[in-house]
Amino acid sequence: MSEHTRFGPAGVPPMFRVMGADLPDVPRLLRAEGLDALEYEAVRWGPKPQIRRENAEKLGSAAKENDVRLSLHGSYFINLSGKREVVEASKRRLIASATAADWMGAYVMVFHTGFYGRFEKDFAFKTCLNALKEVSAEMRSLGLRVKLGPETMGRKFQVGSLDEILTLNQEIEDTQLVVDWAHLHALHQGSLKKVEDFRAIAEKVEEKLGTEAMRSMHCHFSKIEFTAQGEKRHHTLDEEKFGPDFRMLAEVIAYFQMHPTMICESPILDVDARKMQETMKQVLDSKQSKVDP
Ligand SMILES: [Zn+2]
């Protein structure tokens, strides 16, 4: 089966709710729009899954039937670099998210690792790395098959630079690379300006994690507004004054024969996901017409 880039929204599009759709209807509605991925948002969860197992399983089978790849975004209330009791509570929340992700057959549980706080950067990162090793081991002992997906972050005080995320992926078993391109752009004050800027990131990933991990990365994308501290607000793709430009990423995806899962985090979730998909198709078609005699 040939792998292709998948597109979908971060969370259930508000319009689906207006239409009165239940959770298991969502994959069918996405498919009707031509989309084939969905990130389920578990971002306000505490130490227990806040979905019934039965509903999670229904969502999972509907996703399978409609060829929609599921991921799950875990709780925002995580700090793996904090004090011991904060780390322990964070681990419980990650396990809760991973448990529900496993019920629905999500392939990755995305999450934010935490904050440097008053610690030295190196110390904060080591604390995070050790805590995640424990989470990974506990997930294995519980038989949870979902991969851990620490995400690249967009603010200076957050743990999760590209280098840190690559190291976590190297050091911890059962991880999946998650790159939020808008966050990288915001953290580095608008660094993604040319195709080469995107290409340099793909090359760095390939060098550290190998070709297949680079090709199959899980991505978040939107346009973004930032301050000196980094990320401020996500924006839609049509807003000219913000970056980054998806077409440049599409060029790199085509060039490296990547097949990422692309989750759209713009304020108009599914609408912009379709716009990115259309751009991707245009880029691939233009390459194809160059190859054809
Ligand atoms: Zn996130």
Side-chain angles (χ1 to χ4, degrees):
M1 193 184 72
S2 87
E3 297 267 18
H4 61 282
T5 303
R6 287 170 175 267
F7 294 87
V12 177
M15 198 56 205
F16 291 8
R17 299 214 191 268
V18 174
M19 288 156 61
D22 289 325
L23 189 58
D25 301 324
V26 171
R28 181 174 51 77
L29 294 170
L30 289 173
R31 190 192 170 115
E33 289 191 298
L35 296 172
D36 45 17
L38 168 68
E39 192 143 292
Y40 180 88
E41 300 281 288
V43 296
R44 313 232 160 254
W45 286 14
K48 295 249 161 62
Q50 284 166 41
I51 184 172
R52 296 204 347 250
R53 179 170 189 155
E54 187 193 336
N55 288 344
E57 287 173 351
K58 272 190 196 152
L59 172 64
S61 37
K64 218 175 243 155
E65 270 163 40
N66 291 285
D67 188 30
V68 168
R69 179 177 289 159
L70 288 179
S71 49
L72 178 143
H73 198 308
S75 177
Y76 286 149
F77 312 122
I78 301 285
N79 186 6
L80 296 173
S81 298
K83 288 190 282 189
R84 194 68 215 164
E85 57 276 24
V86 174
V87 172
E88 285 308 315
S90 299
K91 283 163 61 184
R92 301 275 60 77
R93 294 196 177 97
L94 285 177
I95 294 292
S97 292
T99 301
D102 192 66
W103 290 341
M104 55 183 77
Y107 87 107
V108 57
M109 188 235 338
V110 177
F111 61 97
H112 307 169
T113 54
F115 312 94
Y116 300 112
R118 57 191 171 77
F119 299 117
E120 287 287 326
K121 276 197 165 185
D122 284 357
F123 181 82
F125 181 70
K126 277 250 162 61
T127 309
C128 169
L129 176 66
N130 290 333
L132 265 188
K133 280 185 178 163
E134 290 165 12
V135 172
S136 170
E138 186 171 345
M139 282 169 59
R140 255 198 315 284
S141 76
L142 293 168
L144 304 178
R145 295 152 297 176
V146 62
K147 295 210 163 127
L148 280 167
E151 173 184 347
T152 61
M153 298 311 300
R155 297 190 181 100
K156 291 208 164 113
F157 54 84
Q158 290 173 307
V159 180
S161 66
L162 181 61
D163 285 325
E164 286 170 337
I165 296 302
L166 291 174
T167 303
L168 293 177
N169 275 264
Q170 282 174 321
E171 299 276 326
I172 298 166
E173 284 180 65
D174 305 320
T175 43
Q176 159 70 46
L177 178 65
V178 179
V179 174
D180 186 314
W181 295 88
H183 285 167
L184 291 178
H185 187 69
L187 182 65
H188 302 292
Q189 304 293 296
S191 57
L192 299 173
K193 292 194 188 78
K194 320 184 282 301
V195 175
E196 291 69 45
D197 301 330
F198 290 85
R199 189 193 313 231
I201 289 172
E203 280 167 353
K204 184 175 199 173
V205 168
E206 184 174 33
E207 184 194 316
K208 294 270 160 99
L209 303 181
T211 304
E212 191 40 39
M214 180 270 288
R215 287 186 170 151
S216 62
M217 63 171 72
H218 184 82
C219 297
H220 288 172
F221 199 94
S222 74
K223 287 197 166 184
I224 199 158
E225 183 178 352
F226 56 85
T227 67
Q229 284 306 306
E231 170 186 4
K232 185 176 177 201
R233 193 175 296 123
H234 291 271
H235 284 276
T236 65
L237 298 189
D238 280 348
E239 290 176 86
E240 295 285 339
K241 60 179 185 160
F242 301 110
D245 180 355
F246 180 72
R247 186 170 292 270
M248 294 179 188
L249 177 55
E251 291 283 347
V252 170
I253 290 172
Y255 179 82
F256 286 105
Q257 298 173 16
M258 295 165 69
H259 46 83
T261 300
M262 191 65 61
I263 298 297
C264 177
E265 289 194 321
S266 107
I268 46 170
L269 302 164
D270 51 333
V271 179
D272 271 349
R274 278 160 54 206
K275 224 168 254 174
M276 295 197 298
Q277 189 179 41
E278 183 51 37
T279 303
M280 189 71 240
K281 192 174 170 311
Q282 286 167 7
V283 167
L284 289 172
D285 286 350
S286 77
K287 301 250 181 278
Q288 191 56 42
S289 62
K290 274 180 208 152
V291 175
D292 288 343

